[in-house]
């Protein structure tokens, strides 16, 4: 890294920690930062710290939030719970703008290969929630891949005894792809065509 | 931007100021930051401020530096001066590792279309330097496009009366492309085959 003076080399190193950012891209970002005004760079640094310090997990649904419970849990129809793997998936479903229920973020899916069991994801919290709240339906919106399907089946078996309706988003989204990248129409259709498990 | 809570939305906005970063990419970066440890985020923010506060322009060559004059000006053969448009181009030439002269960064090229005239780039400083230092050769390594060529011609006319040899890097690098992206071999050949103007 003797190609760069130390302050630039260090900044390039920091940018390389971002997903998909290699040496060349990090270098472009770093030079852009050098050319920003002092207040712009200060604002950039502040927004990093501000986000890290103010974004927490909602104690109810597990989604990112800056208050607790989160805005979605506080204002929406709590009788329908959509179960997703990641906060990213909440964002994806929120973009379609016609889902009015709440969420439950698992923070992972069952994966025997990677040693992720039922106690490693937020399943206990889901059962407790369904038992306590007046939940009528649980829509399982994990990714349509092997692990996502297995997790959906597991959740169905887990919740059926509680007398709640458990549904699965339709396989309108192409198999093997990632929920995060589905387009709004496909995702909307997938929720509409959910089938009971 | 009501898709995101405010701290995340603000961070996404900050990332979108980087070159080539759109909404989706900025979102991925922001979520990665949320998932970093507190010390990693602090380090990221620090490296932004540290780079902005510690990177200055060398008073001799105009390149980025953390001391003045810069390491290159202080340790290398000052009788050969390579003239480039941007600090990025210095980095590109440094990567070939067989140039032992110094640099002169213009911070732009002549461009009547964009209203950039001889007084808007560091030409005065170049003339002063060639007059004062014992400069034997000036290698003009501006990009091989219209503006880069025009700037090279202008510099040749400007410096010839001072009795200094003015050369141009060979057109080994493909026309219309950017110096920053040339591969090391091509760039090395281009310097080797420089022709006198």
């Amino acid at each position: 890294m003797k190609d760069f003076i130390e302050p630039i080399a260090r900044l390039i190193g920091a940018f390389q920690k971002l997903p998909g950012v290699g040496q060349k891209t990090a270098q472009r970002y770093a030079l852009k930062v050098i050319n920003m005004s002092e207040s712009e760079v200060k604002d950039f640094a502040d927004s990093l710290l501000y986000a890290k310090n103010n974004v927490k997990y909602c104690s109810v649904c597990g989604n990112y939030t800056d208050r607790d419970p989160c805005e979605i849990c506080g204002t929406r129809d709590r009788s329908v719970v959509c179960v997703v793997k990641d906060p990213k998936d909440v964002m994806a479903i929120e973009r379609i703008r016609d889902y009015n229920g709440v969420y439950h973020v698992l923070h992972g899916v069952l994966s025997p290969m990677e040693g992720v069991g039922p106690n490693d994801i937020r399943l206990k919290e889901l059962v407790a929630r369904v038992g306590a709240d007046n939940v009528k339906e649980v829509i399982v919106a994990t990714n349509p891949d092997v692990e996502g399907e297995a997790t959906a089946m597991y959740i169905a078996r887990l919740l059926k005894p509680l007398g709640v309706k458990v549904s699965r988003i339709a396989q309108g989204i192409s198999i093997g792809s990632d929920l995060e990248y589905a387009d709004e129409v496909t995702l909307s259709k997938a929720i509409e065509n959910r089938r009971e498990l």
Side-chain angles (χ1 to χ4, degrees), chain A:
Chain A
M1 283 284 264
K2 197 59 196 71
D3 289 339
F4 303 98
I5 54 175
E6 190 258 338
I8 296 185
R10 188 179 151 194
L11 183 54
I12 290 175
F15 276 124
Q16 283 188 285
K17 289 188 182 163
L18 296 175
V21 175
Q23 167 75 21
K24 270 256 153 113
T25 305
Q27 183 182 322
R28 283 180 72 85
Y29 291 173
L31 295 185
K32 171 71 188 182
V33 170
I34 303 293
N35 286 319
M36 283 178 179
S37 72
E38 220 162 294
S39 71
E40 267 184 307
V41 176
K42 188 158 179 334
D43 192 62
F44 192 172
D46 282 349
S47 56
L48 284 167
L49 299 170
Y50 182 69
K52 184 64 194 172
N53 293 333
N54 288 283
V55 177
K56 311 286 174 205
Y57 293 124
C58 171
S59 62
V60 180
C61 70
N63 191 18
Y64 293 134
T65 183
D66 49 358
R67 73 203 74 174
D68 196 26
C70 73
E71 200 184 332
I72 293 175
C73 284
T75 59
R76 301 251 286 257
D77 176 9
R78 294 176 75 148
S79 69
V80 182
V81 176
C82 180
V83 177
V84 294
K85 180 185 173 193
D86 284 322
K88 283 191 261 227
D89 301 325
V90 173
M91 292 176 192
I93 294 175
E94 282 299 289
R95 276 197 293 274
I96 66 178
R97 299 192 188 286
D98 61 3
Y99 175 68
N100 193 38
V102 292
Y103 295 93
H104 189 86
V105 182
L106 295 173
H107 290 285
V109 281
L110 297 177
S111 171
M113 293 284 286
E114 290 175 23
V116 181
N119 290 326
D120 301 315
I121 60 179
R122 297 179 70 252
L123 284 174
K124 252 195 335 272
E125 290 88 339
L126 179 62
V127 175
R129 217 176 142 181
V130 169
D133 274 8
N134 190 20
V135 177
K136 293 201 187 74
E137 179 174 2
V138 171
I139 306 171
V140 184
T142 49
N143 284 327
D145 52 21
V146 178
E147 293 166 352
E149 286 296 335
T151 307
M153 290 303 161
Y154 190 92
I155 290 172
R157 273 202 306 266
L158 204 63
L159 298 183
K160 279 290 179 67
L162 301 176
V164 69
K165 180 177 168 189
V166 180
S167 59
R168 177 86 174 104
I169 53 168
Q171 298 272 6
I173 29 179
S174 52
I175 308 294
S177 74
D178 229 332
L179 204 76
E180 185 187 354
Y181 296 111
D183 66 270
E184 283 81 336
V185 180
T186 310
L187 205 49
S188 190
K189 262 277 171 285
I191 289 199
E192 189 188 320
N193 296 336
R194 61 188 186 264
R195 59 191 161 78
E196 199 170 348
L197 296 179

